Amino acid sequence: MPKKLSIQLATGTLHLDLSPGRIPLKRLLGFAARVSSKRKFLLVSKVLGKHYPVSPRLMYWSYRALARLVLASGVGTGSVWIGMAETATGLGYGVFAAASDEGVQGALFLQTTRYVLEGHDYLAFEEAHSHATDFFLYYPEQPEHRQQFLQARTLVLIDDEISTGKTFLRLIKAYQTVNPLLEKVFIVSLVNFAHPDDRAALENEAGVAVVWVCFREGVLRFEDSYNAALDEVTINVSGDGACKKHLLAWPGRLGMDAPLRWQTGTLERLLPLLAAEGPRPLLVLGTGECNAPALMLGRALELAGFAVKVQSTTRSPIHKGNDIAAICQFTDNYADDIPNFLYNLDLAQYRQVILCHETPLCAALLGRLHAWQAISARFELSPTNGHDATLHFSRP
């Protein structure tokens, strides 16, 4: 029998009917109230490494487990794997990388983005409930990757949570306009709370085989309660629409056919900059859509014997309360001049903060680096080998 939960938020009550599952929900999720008139609740993942600090070991466990579930259902060769911006870009890359380690053949990874890249063809679609609704899925940059994108028989879509599945349906329909050969879609998430009617509607409208993969599932319902003090809060989180290509170094937006690896000596260059040893963990931060370098560095440090937590900044506005204990607000580092946030930050818990970023140093980043006394770790892809990357470390 489903287990019923009701979570009281400042914006209303979230009701969950949980189907049986092996992983306790409290290990996967917390809850919070969103600053949004479209959807007033947020599922705060405890394994994603976005709004909540998480150990790399736990993150990598989730990637491997989800990848194995996909591969066990028969993904075939030449598949396309897509991570959803902003929240699940790191998760998407992590599941793709784990699938590559598990032996998937000829897979291609892409992530959606909110940034304009002039000169590249794209599919546009909306996430109607989001704080920033417009998304782009760019065609891969390399000709052989583009051909695979336009002819793939299997699509693997990855997000942290599914509430209705309507965003994925919009993406599937947009993709089918350029690839009529699609035969199978995997919808992969940490949790799935889409109503059975919504699932059936997606499967019927997609017109192809659909496989749902997740750790826990059920049905949710939100009971709105008007709160004048909260409902009047608005925060602009939409960018300026200008081309950001000159700022972006992470290759996931234009196609990757294999996981990245750190160039020899990358980690060794960081060690002299770390604060004195102690029992507190290191905090490795990603920025916005560029989460993967932080989790890659965090995992490398963890394997080297360090205690580590990984998290990321975000443009998602959330009210304080429930599983959001603290809010740090600052200006974004992508020249949009919009607020970004870091949640649940307690500097006293950490020995050192390392801020991974793909954009060049700017006033917004320098402000955070000084405020957190953090180490800058700027991501760079090798110009000669597209599977090698490095981080340039400094203390501004």
Side-chain angles (χ1 to χ4, degrees):
M1 294 293 292
K3 179 180 180 181
K4 297 182 180 296
L5 296 176
S6 294
I7 301 95
Q8 188 65 46
L9 305 174
T11 52
T13 304
L14 183 63
H15 301 281
L16 297 178
D17 290 344
L18 288 173
S19 300
R22 297 176 60 184
I23 304 173
L25 189 70
K26 64 181 180 180
R27 294 188 181 179
L28 294 175
L29 280 185
F31 306 92
R34 290 164 54 112
V35 181
S36 173
S37 60
K38 300 172 184 175
R39 179 174 290 176
K40 295 185 176 181
F41 63 88
L42 180 74
L43 305 180
V44 181
S45 174
K46 295 182 179 180
V47 298
L48 185 66
K50 190 66 176 177
H51 308 110
Y52 199 92
V54 181
S55 71
R57 182 180 297 106
L58 181 57
M59 297 169 73
Y60 271 72
W61 163 82
S62 70
Y63 305 154
R64 185 172 58 251
L66 289 174
R68 287 176 175 175
L69 289 172
V70 173
L71 297 184
S73 296
V75 72
T77 61
S79 53
V80 173
W81 301 57
I82 299 175
M84 301 296 288
E86 154 193 282
T87 306
T89 53
L91 175 67
Y93 171 79
V95 175
F96 161 76
S100 298
D101 292 342
E102 294 289 325
V104 71
Q105 297 296 309
L108 176 69
F109 173 74
L110 292 160
Q111 69 181 56
T112 66
T113 180
R114 293 192 177 100
Y115 295 119
V116 173
L117 305 178
E118 291 180 352
H120 294 274
D121 295 330
Y122 62 87
L123 301 177
F125 62 102
E126 286 190 350
E127 185 178 38
H129 69 266
S130 177
H131 47 276
T133 60
D134 293 333
F135 286 80
F136 306 100
L137 176 63
Y138 286 95
Y139 288 29
E141 188 171 32
Q142 298 298 324
E144 64 273 19
H145 294 166
R146 184 185 179 104
Q147 182 179 10
Q148 180 174 341
F149 176 76
L150 296 174
Q151 298 180 352
R153 302 300 178 97
T154 302
L155 193 61
V156 183
L157 304 178
I158 306 162
D159 210 347
D160 58 313
E161 54 95 359
I162 309 296
S163 297
T164 66
K166 292 179 180 178
T167 298
F168 274 152
L169 178 59
R170 293 187 187 97
L171 175 53
I172 292 167
K173 300 300 287 184
Y175 181 69
Q176 287 175 316
T177 64
V178 299
N179 180 11
L181 300 177
L182 183 68
E183 297 176 350
K184 189 174 187 178
V185 176
F186 287 85
I187 295 182
V188 182
S189 58
L190 297 169
V191 294
N192 187 341
F193 294 118
H195 192 277
D197 292 345
D198 290 325
R199 294 195 192 198
L202 184 149
E203 293 170 8
N204 290 334
E205 293 192 45
V208 297
V210 177
V211 180
W212 303 83
V213 173
C214 65
F215 291 138
R216 291 299 303 267
E217 57 189 337
V219 177
L220 64 78
R221 177 176 60 88
F222 185 69
E223 185 180 348
D224 193 345
S225 62
Y226 179 72
N227 184 321
L230 297 181
D231 289 354
E232 298 303 319
V233 175
T234 59
I235 296 176
N236 175 33
V237 292
S238 296
D240 60 12
C243 178
K244 305 296 183 183
K245 191 172 181 178
H246 62 291
L247 298 175
L248 307 178
W250 175 250
R253 302 175 183 90
L254 294 175
M256 304 170 62
D257 60 10
L260 298 185
R261 53 181 176 259
W262 292 127
Q263 291 179 356
T264 301
T266 296
L267 188 61
E268 287 73 14
R269 291 195 297 273
L270 169 64
L271 301 183
L273 296 176
L274 295 178
E277 293 185 16
R280 295 178 298 170
L282 302 169
L283 176 63
V284 184
L285 295 176
T287 52
E289 294 179 359
C290 188
N291 305 342
L295 67 92
M296 290 169 58
L297 176 60
R299 183 58 171 164
L301 286 165
E302 191 175 62
L303 292 174
F306 292 90
V308 183
K309 296 290 186 180
V310 171
Q311 205 180 338
S312 177
T313 67
T314 174
R315 69 168 76 182
S316 176
I318 311 171
H319 292 295
K320 186 176 179 180
N322 296 89
D323 283 273
I324 300 297
I327 301 173
C328 181
Q329 179 175 332
F330 40 90
T331 302
D332 79 289
N333 57 304
Y334 289 85
D336 275 328
D337 195 30
I338 58 175
N340 274 199
F341 307 89
L342 183 65
Y343 296 104
N344 294 316
L345 175 64
D346 180 359
L347 289 174
Q349 292 183 359
Y350 302 107
R351 163 184 163 192
Q352 179 75 65
V353 177
I354 304 167
L355 181 59
C356 294
H357 53 97
E358 61 177 333
T359 62
L361 283 172
C362 59
L365 284 174
L366 289 170
R368 288 303 93 208
L369 291 167
H370 288 303
W372 298 332
Q373 298 182 7
I375 295 171
S376 165
R378 182 175 61 82
F379 175 87
E380 183 182 47
L381 191 66
S382 169
T384 58
N385 187 333
H387 298 151
D388 284 352
T390 192
L391 292 167
H392 299 281
F393 300 104
S394 63
R395 278 187 174 276

